[in-house]
Amino acid sequence: MRDEVLDIRDAGHNLMSIVNDILDFAQLQQDKMDIEEEAYNITSTINDIINMALARKGDKQIEFIVDCDANIPSGLLGDEKKIRRVIMNIVDNAIKFTNDGGVIIDIHARREDYGINLCVSVKDTGSGIGEESLEKLFESFSQVDTRRNRQNGGVGLGLAISRALVQKMGGTITVQSRVNKGSIFRFVVPQKVLDENRIGQVINRHELNIAAYFDMEQFDMITIRDEYSKLIMHMVKQLQVKCHVCRNLAELKRRHDIEPFTHIFISLEEYQEDEAYFDELTKHTKVILVLERFNEKYVLNQDIIRLYKPFYILPVVSILNGNAGSGGGKQIVRMGKFTAPNAHVLVVDDNLMNIRVVEGLLKEYQIKVTYATSGQEALKIIEKMCFDFVFMDHMMPEMDGVETMHRIRDKAGHYYQKVPIIALTANAVPGNREMFLEEGFNDFVAKPLEMSVLERVLRRNLPEEKLVLQTRDEQQSMEQQLKESNEKEEKLKIGDLNVEQGLLYCGGPEAYLEILERCFEDGVNERQLLEKLYEEQDWKNYTIRVHGLKSTMQSIGAIPLFEKAKALEMAGKNEDIDYILEWHKDMIAEHIRVMEELKHCPKLHHKLQEDVLPSALGQEKAAIDLPKLDDDMLDSLLTEFEAAMYDLNEEEMLLILGKIQEYQYCGASLKEKLALVKKKVEMSDYMSAVDLAYKIREELKNNREGEFAND
């Protein structure tokens, strides 16, 4: 039954794709589709295409090769969305009909008086097309071989739409193909140039001595061997670096003994040929291992730099310029090439730790963050403040992210229909992205957030006028800071936490330590809430809470606790109550152990948890010694507090809040009760702070009246 339901879902997605193709083609036929000129960075386009193509390739055992010219100008003016769609239509087609060999993308530029001609070719080693079928290849609703399309679906519009789009942009598209040999699609579109800086440039190329050792015999198909060889030689020529292409390990060792290399590029096959030798080399030479992500388990040396396929010029330049960070080994960490100090983002998540992680990542871009911990709170905030876009968590109690998004869209006013809303979810399963986009979200991001993914989302959704691009000097300064930061990261050790993973997800050591600090402070409350939901057998909210804990623990690198929370979340979703009853205590014990690790970490300067979260008895004793505050005086101070909020005067808000916290009200210490209000003010979440202060006043007042009624 599950398989059949998934088939129905997939058929629905395929039908939606077909309908979209038909609508687009109808617009093109009626000449109603306009070409939009916008500034874009070609490197972001290339990265997006690669990510989408890798997702489409899935588990297919074919090579994906990208030969990208380093001399392409970085800033172009044109219809980037349509260029990306044309490339993906062709690449998707190539992957679909290629089962052996690979798909090769070539992107370069030719200089013209008006700017450049962007030239793209997609070559595959697939089934190919006969000469008699080439003539109708670009025709509407035409599939050149219905037998080969039977399993892949579609109505033959993809290539017809691609040709129409290319022609609409003033370009041309051609195809060459041979049956059982493969196809080559080429298209050219004119683009204006806004930024002449090359997309790939090595900073200190004269200081480098590089070796490339790849045994091409590992590839069965001669075409793939030739393409990889051509790619390497093209890279060397473009970057103008000193590079030795070694044919075997003996030659590599001999050359290294004569003149030591600064960088050595190898693949997994070469590494496994003599692991001890390459592990020893990492002590004084950068060894870069080109591999598929699923093969990383075969590499245990943390000093090896991983370069995940495809092997192309942009990550190679990044490595040669020193941009290597830590994360499951030394992965490439892309620094933000812009800031947005005038941007304001709303983050909606019921888990404060997730909010703090997002806030820490956005700190690098100088983006102001306001947060809401529920859908209802988000609806109130967005009525009073304008945001550039909204990060919306999917799973929240009472009102989930989808319903909250729809309620925002239902509000009257142009702003509520147009403000970008990006879905956040820890359940990045196939089909989720399509589901969120179909519901009405503008974008989708999987948790934990990765810096490269976050940067692309920011570029797509922030207003262009709020992006402050960095100069080359500023970028080099950031790169130097990154190198220094990496040296510190390697020394950071916190219990058995996977620090490398935490640093990658939290955006660096400073943000990581801050997240750990707050995670520790919230630890007791989090555990008590889980215990309460467990005792009440509120399995719906228990599942949502465990889902949030899972995401947080993955972000900080607490892998065993992440796994236990993940298993309990799945049990909750499947209504497997027996599993929860059996394993809940085991997860709680692991949570206590992780908090103990944080408690004794010298890198964290927190108070003892007993000080951070005092017992109820301690609160009562503290309240007895404080002067009492009557209703009228509290109302007067809260009115002043709200007025300071409307003036955006944080200093005044904190001053008034400090006065209120010197008192008790209805038998409770306001210092403790308003601690979270103070945190919200310090995080510039003024509106939420005022709402929470009034809410606490009402709760305390109602409790007092309830006690009087009982008496």
Side-chain angles (χ1 to χ4, degrees):
M1 185 183 291
R2 182 183 294 110
D3 289 342
E4 289 177 357
V5 170
L6 290 174
D7 286 343
I8 293 170
R9 183 201 66 181
D10 291 341
H13 289 153
N14 290 337
L15 179 59
M16 179 63 73
S17 176
I18 291 169
V19 170
N20 286 335
D21 277 349
I22 293 171
L23 291 173
D24 287 346
F25 191 74
Q27 279 189 313
L28 286 164
Q29 289 288 81
Q30 298 169 27
D31 202 25
K32 289 184 177 179
M33 183 175 283
D34 297 324
I35 297 300
E36 301 173 3
E37 281 199 335
E38 59 179 356
Y40 69 97
N41 188 312
I42 188 66
T43 57
S44 296
T45 306
I46 294 167
N47 284 327
D48 285 344
I49 289 166
I50 288 171
N51 287 333
M52 288 186 285
L54 289 176
R56 182 67 181 88
K57 181 174 87 74
D59 296 330
K60 264 197 173 184
Q61 298 299 307
I62 59 175
E63 292 296 314
F64 187 59
I65 303 171
V66 179
D67 191 352
C68 176
D69 195 327
N71 297 311
I72 301 174
S74 58
L76 302 177
L77 183 69
D79 198 327
E80 187 268 349
K81 292 184 181 67
K82 292 183 178 60
I83 291 172
R84 187 196 311 179
R85 179 161 186 191
V86 171
I87 297 175
M88 278 313 303
N89 278 349
I90 299 172
V91 170
D92 187 69
N93 205 58
I95 293 172
K96 190 186 297 184
F97 300 116
T98 303
N99 295 315
D100 297 299
V103 174
I104 303 97
I105 300 179
D106 182 293
I107 304 174
H108 65 277
R110 287 201 311 263
R111 286 285 173 178
E112 302 291 347
D113 294 339
Y114 48 76
I116 64 165
N117 275 343
L118 187 64
C119 308
V120 180
S121 76
V122 179
K123 177 180 178 180
D124 67 68
T125 58
S127 53
I129 305 164
E131 287 185 20
E132 68 284 356
S133 300
L134 282 176
E135 294 180 7
K136 63 177 183 178
L137 183 63
F138 291 110
E139 292 178 8
S140 315
F141 304 100
S142 173
Q143 294 180 333
V144 298
D145 185 345
T146 55
R147 288 172 302 171
R148 72 176 195 163
N149 280 281
R150 193 167 291 136
Q151 289 184 331
N152 295 296
V155 291
L157 278 178
L159 293 178
I161 290 173
S162 297
R163 182 181 68 170
L165 290 176
V166 169
Q167 291 175 345
K168 190 86 174 171
M169 290 185 284
T172 59
I173 184 168
T174 61
V175 60
Q176 292 176 291
S177 188
R178 291 172 60 193
V179 176
N180 297 325
K181 295 293 183 181
S183 307
I184 304 177
F185 287 82
R186 297 185 178 92
F187 75 88
V188 179
V189 288
Q191 300 287 279
K192 295 174 184 175
V193 176
L194 296 180
D195 186 349
E196 292 285 356
N197 285 317
R198 300 163 53 197
I199 62 172
Q201 189 167 343
V202 178
I203 298 170
N204 299 314
R205 60 188 179 84
H206 296 296
E207 299 174 7
L208 304 179
N209 185 30
I210 302 167
Y213 169 40
F214 298 104
D215 183 4
M216 296 302 172
E217 294 300 318
Q218 65 184 278
F219 305 111
D220 296 331
M221 192 172 287
I222 295 175
T223 303
I224 299 303
R225 298 179 202 167
D226 292 344
E227 290 294 340
Y228 267 124
S229 298
K230 186 172 72 174
L231 170 66
I232 293 169
M233 298 311 297
H234 191 203
M235 281 188 190
V236 174
K237 182 179 178 181
Q238 286 178 295
L239 299 179
Q240 299 177 353
V241 292
K242 186 178 180 181
C243 180
H244 301 277
V245 179
C246 300
R247 293 165 297 177
N248 52 53
L249 183 58
E251 181 184 355
L252 177 74
K253 290 180 177 181
R254 179 175 57 80
R255 285 184 177 273
H256 183 71
D257 289 340
I258 297 171
E259 186 179 3
F261 296 115
T262 58
H263 299 74
I264 297 176
F265 289 84
I266 56 174
S267 71
L268 183 62
E269 283 72 12
E270 291 76 53
Y271 175 68
Q272 292 179 332
E273 189 178 348
D274 194 341
E275 290 185 22
Y277 174 73
F278 288 111
D279 286 345
E280 182 66 25
L281 278 184
T282 59
K283 295 178 180 179
H284 45 75
T285 302
K286 286 182 171 35
V287 178
I288 301 96
L289 187 60
V290 181
L291 77 168
E292 301 280 4
R293 282 184 179 271
F294 55 78
N295 283 331
E296 188 178 8
K297 60 188 175 183
Y298 299 115
V299 186
L300 301 179
N301 185 348
Q302 295 299 302
D303 291 323
I304 295 278
I305 298 174
R306 277 75 157 169
L307 197 166
Y308 299 120
K309 287 185 177 181
F311 176 50
Y312 68 111
I313 203 157
L314 295 181
V316 169
V317 168
S318 184
I319 288 174
L320 296 180
N321 286 337
N323 296 342
S326 333
K330 295 187 177 177
Q331 295 174 326
I332 301 164
V333 176
R334 296 176 61 237
M335 297 300 296
K337 297 292 190 300
F338 64 90
T339 57
N342 294 322
H344 193 181
V345 170
L346 174 64
V347 181
V348 186
D349 198 310
D350 63 305
N351 188 306
L352 273 174
M353 281 306 305
N354 289 337
I355 291 172
R356 287 162 178 170
V357 169
V358 175
E359 185 185 30
L361 293 174
L362 292 177
K363 197 174 184 182
E364 178 184 330
Y365 301 93
Q366 301 175 25
I367 294 173
K368 184 179 179 182
V369 174
T370 294
Y371 70 85
T373 55
S374 69
Q376 291 286 5
E377 187 180 357
L379 294 174
K380 291 178 183 177
I381 290 174
I382 205 165
E383 284 184 348
K384 299 173 183 177
M385 302 175 76
C386 287
F387 301 95
D388 293 297
F389 69 84
V390 179
F391 272 131
M392 182 73 68
D393 183 36
H394 177 209
M395 288 186 65
M396 295 187 291
E398 297 178 9
M399 186 190 301
D400 68 12
V402 176
E403 184 182 350
T404 306
M405 182 270 297
H406 284 309
R407 291 204 184 186
I408 292 173
R409 296 293 188 222
D410 290 342
K411 290 180 179 292
H414 180 76
Y415 165 74
Y416 298 110
Q417 275 73 59
K418 295 299 181 183
V419 60
I421 303 178
I422 289 92
L424 279 172
T425 180
N427 295 326
V429 298
N432 258 8
R433 181 183 183 85
E434 291 78 7
M435 183 272 288
F436 284 121
L437 295 180
E438 288 168 14
E439 285 286 353
F441 286 94
N442 298 80
D443 217 328
F444 161 90
V445 181
K447 293 189 288 188
L449 278 74
E450 291 190 19
M451 290 297 287
S452 59
V453 175
L454 176 64
E455 182 177 323
R456 288 197 293 275
V457 169
L458 295 178
R459 284 186 182 276
R460 283 199 294 263
N461 293 285
L462 284 176
E464 186 179 339
E465 63 272 13
K466 293 193 176 182
L467 299 180
V468 180
L469 299 178
Q470 296 175 357
T471 64
R472 186 171 293 278
D473 289 341
E474 288 172 335
Q475 290 180 23
Q476 290 180 8
S477 174
M478 292 281 283
E479 288 162 2
Q480 182 59 35
Q481 291 175 25
L482 176 63
K483 290 173 74 173
E484 294 171 359
S485 172
N486 288 337
E487 293 171 3
K488 294 177 183 177
E489 289 172 14
E490 292 173 2
K491 300 173 185 176
L492 189 59
K493 182 171 175 59
I494 302 173
D496 61 353
L497 295 186
N498 187 329
V499 174
E500 291 84 2
Q501 178 170 312
L503 290 166
L504 183 65
Y505 286 140
C506 295
E510 184 179 343
Y512 180 51
L513 291 173
E514 184 178 346
I515 295 298
L516 290 177
E517 187 82 49
R518 292 179 176 182
C519 183
F520 175 75
E521 290 177 4
D522 293 344
V524 171
N525 274 348
E526 183 71 31
R527 193 162 62 247
Q528 287 176 347
L529 181 55
L530 279 167
E531 291 278 36
K532 181 173 180 289
L533 294 170
Y534 175 80
E535 289 168 6
E536 294 174 352
Q537 297 192 5
D538 183 352
W539 303 127
K540 179 182 177 182
N541 286 314
Y542 177 88
T543 302
I544 292 172
R545 205 74 203 176
V546 169
H547 167 87
L549 179 67
K550 174 195 76 172
S551 178
T552 301
M553 293 304 111
Q554 186 176 15
S555 295
I556 68 170
I559 306 304
L561 183 52
F562 156 73
E563 296 289 354
K564 293 177 189 297
K566 181 180 178 181
L568 285 169
E569 180 198 4
M570 292 305 299
K573 287 180 177 178
N574 296 329
E575 299 183 358
D576 186 354
I577 308 306
D578 290 340
Y579 184 91
I580 297 176
L581 294 173
E582 181 179 357
W583 293 102
H584 167 78
K585 289 183 179 178
D586 182 58
M587 182 199 68
I588 292 296
E590 179 63 17
H591 187 277
I592 292 170
R593 190 191 70 78
V594 170
M595 292 303 111
E596 282 296 311
E597 293 277 12
L598 298 182
K599 181 177 180 179
H600 296 101
C601 174
K603 295 279 185 182
L604 304 180
H605 306 292
H606 41 241
K607 303 174 185 177
L608 292 176
Q609 253 176 328
E610 291 77 15
D611 296 332
V612 175
L613 298 165
S615 66
L617 179 62
Q619 290 183 35
E620 290 170 7
K621 287 180 179 178
I624 292 172
D625 300 328
L626 294 173
K628 294 181 180 180
L629 198 60
D630 60 35
D631 292 342
D632 292 339
M633 188 174 176
L634 179 57
D635 286 343
S636 175
L637 288 168
L638 287 178
T639 301
E640 292 179 28
F641 185 57
E642 187 174 7
M645 178 269 292
Y646 284 116
D647 291 335
L648 300 179
N649 190 336
E650 181 176 315
E651 187 177 343
E652 182 68 14
M653 289 181 76
L654 290 172
L655 186 65
I656 296 167
L657 193 62
K659 289 181 184 178
I660 299 174
Q661 288 182 300
E662 293 174 0
Y663 293 87
Q664 60 162 303
Y665 179 69
C666 299
S669 166
L670 291 175
K671 181 175 183 180
E672 306 300 339
K673 289 291 182 182
L674 298 179
L676 183 55
V677 175
K678 184 179 180 183
K679 277 188 179 182
K680 285 180 176 285
V681 174
E682 291 171 341
M683 295 175 73
S684 302
D685 193 2
Y686 307 143
M687 189 74 66
S688 179
V690 171
D691 289 344
L692 181 59
Y694 276 111
K695 183 180 178 182
I696 291 170
R697 192 274 310 265
E698 290 303 313
E699 287 177 353
L700 292 173
K701 193 174 179 179
N702 291 337
N703 288 341
R704 179 185 64 187
E705 291 170 355
E707 289 172 5
F708 287 157
N710 291 333
D711 292 341

